[in-house]
Amino acid sequence: MNNVFLALGTNIEPRYTHLQKALHELRTNEHITIKSESSIYETAPVGYTDQADFLNMAIQIETPLTPFALLERCQRIEEGLGRKRAIRFGPRTIDLDILIYNDENIKTERLNVPHPRLYERAFVLIPLKELNPELPIGAQGKCVSDYVDDLTDQDVKDVRKWTPQESAGE
């Protein structure tokens, strides 16, 4: 069985509904078992900033699927929930990223694991730390907590725990 960490993100309303539908799709797949879920965090956009704030979370799953079969499943869920890839780092109904797949290093045109921007993104690292602060990532021998400690105060400030009651539109 493979131990995998995924990131989920959305910033098109209804954001919470998109997260819940994606989780449902993952839960109902016979080859995926969700072992743990982080809290949901509201985060400022990174890269392309002229867009709404995101809801982000991380989950830990177990699966017999290969990394590429899992990627295909995640992309089907994204498509089923209306994901459009019009603007790089732009608005999305749902984004499912494979962050960690066992302790494997995969670098292909279709898939990079660990996720290449994992180390610099507070909106990924903070939920991941909630799941497993001592999870080793990368070849430098550092764990998730080490990377969180390296974040700037502003990066950390832009990632805040969120609950469904905080938004009437959710």
Side-chain angles (χ1 to χ4, degrees):
M1 199 60 69
N2 299 298
N3 185 41
V4 181
F5 290 86
L6 302 177
L8 290 79
T10 174
N11 75 333
I12 294 176
E13 296 292 349
R15 300 175 304 169
Y16 182 66
T17 299
H18 292 306
L19 281 180
Q20 293 304 306
K21 286 181 177 180
L23 289 167
H24 174 77
E25 290 296 320
L26 291 164
R27 277 190 199 100
T28 58
N29 185 293
E30 65 182 327
H31 300 294
I32 296 172
T33 302
I34 297 177
K35 302 304 286 181
S36 58
E37 301 176 17
S38 75
S39 301
I40 298 171
Y41 292 84
E42 189 167 43
T43 64
V46 174
Y48 178 71
T49 57
D50 188 20
Q51 59 182 322
D53 285 352
F54 281 80
L55 292 184
N56 290 290
M57 67 182 300
I59 62 172
Q60 179 182 10
I61 67 168
E62 285 184 349
T63 182
L65 297 173
T66 67
F68 293 97
L70 180 59
L71 176 64
E72 290 284 332
R73 180 63 185 142
C74 289
Q75 289 177 338
R76 280 199 307 270
I77 292 170
E78 289 175 345
E79 290 169 16
L81 293 176
R83 169 84 190 262
K84 304 283 188 257
R85 297 177 188 272
I87 301 171
R88 183 169 167 80
F89 305 125
R92 63 210 56 191
T93 54
I94 195 70
D95 186 26
L96 300 171
D97 286 330
I98 300 172
L99 302 174
I100 306 285
Y101 187 95
N102 297 321
D103 59 355
E104 294 184 30
N105 288 300
I106 303 166
K107 192 164 189 144
T108 70
E109 203 161 304
R110 288 191 60 221
L111 180 62
N112 287 302
V113 175
H115 192 282
R117 290 171 297 283
L118 163 67
Y119 311 100
E120 62 199 39
R121 293 194 165 162
F123 65 85
V124 173
L125 288 167
I126 291 172
L128 195 56
K129 179 182 176 186
E130 185 180 321
L131 296 179
N132 187 342
E134 301 308 314
L135 179 69
I137 51 175
Q140 294 79 22
K142 293 172 79 173
C143 66
V144 173
S145 289
D146 296 327
Y147 287 104
V148 170
D149 290 345
D150 292 342
L151 295 170
T152 68
D153 290 343
Q154 184 61 49
D155 288 339
V156 172
K157 189 178 128 209
D158 285 344
V159 179
R160 355 177 242 289
K161 277 193 180 179
W162 182 91
T163 59
Q165 298 83 3
E166 291 181 34
S167 176
E170 304 292 338

